[in-house]
Amino acid sequence: MTPTAIDAAVHRQLGELAAGMRALQDAMRRIEEGADRAEDKAAESRAAVHRRMDELVGRVGHLETSTATIVADVAEMKPVTDDVKRWKLMGIGALGVTGIAAMALGVSFAEAIRRIAFVVIGKGF
């Protein structure tokens, strides 16, 4: 091989080597850009998850407060409910006693009218 042929072959090989290095650099740059995009998306996703978690914490706190209020209200209502139940039972008992008394009074009144009617008609006893 002549020195110019060797020089041309070396230049060609150096050109191929330089092109290969540029291709590797471009591939590395694309990989780095892809990794940066993936990292940005992951950061956005984590931020969204944290935001939702903060909202959930607030909502759970509100529910706990509401539950505590409801428990206190129910505790206050229980004696009133017990009183109303007692009144209802007393009312049912009073109605029963009143019904029996009215029935007895009605029977007595009917018997008295029957006797008066017998006396007025004159049939006697």
Side-chain angles (χ1 to χ4, degrees):
M1 246 185 177
T2 64
T4 55
I6 293 175
D7 195 32
V10 168
H11 280 292
R12 185 177 47 81
Q13 288 176 348
L14 283 174
E16 289 176 3
L17 189 61
M21 288 298 290
R22 276 193 291 278
L24 281 174
Q25 287 173 342
D26 288 343
M28 288 292 290
R29 185 178 39 79
R30 284 193 305 268
I31 289 171
E32 287 174 354
E33 288 173 356
D36 288 344
R37 283 193 305 269
E39 189 174 322
D40 291 343
K41 285 183 181 180
E44 290 174 11
S45 177
R46 282 191 301 273
V49 167
H50 286 290
R51 186 174 51 253
R52 281 186 256 150
M53 285 295 288
D54 291 341
E55 290 172 2
L56 283 175
V57 166
R59 290 171 63 187
V60 167
H62 180 70
L63 284 175
E64 287 176 346
T65 304
S66 297
T67 303
T69 304
I70 290 170
V71 167
D73 289 346
V74 168
E76 289 177 12
M77 286 185 246
K78 184 161 177 30
V80 174
T81 304
D82 292 342
D83 285 345
V84 170
K85 286 179 183 177
R86 187 173 46 85
W87 295 341
K88 182 179 174 184
L89 290 174
M90 288 170 46
I92 290 172
L95 282 175
V97 169
T98 304
I100 292 171
M103 183 179 66
L105 185 63
V107 168
S108 299
F109 186 68
E111 183 63 25
I113 289 179
R114 188 178 69 84
R115 287 184 185 201
I116 291 171
F118 282 148
V119 169
V120 170
I121 294 177
K123 287 190 177 180
F125 295 58

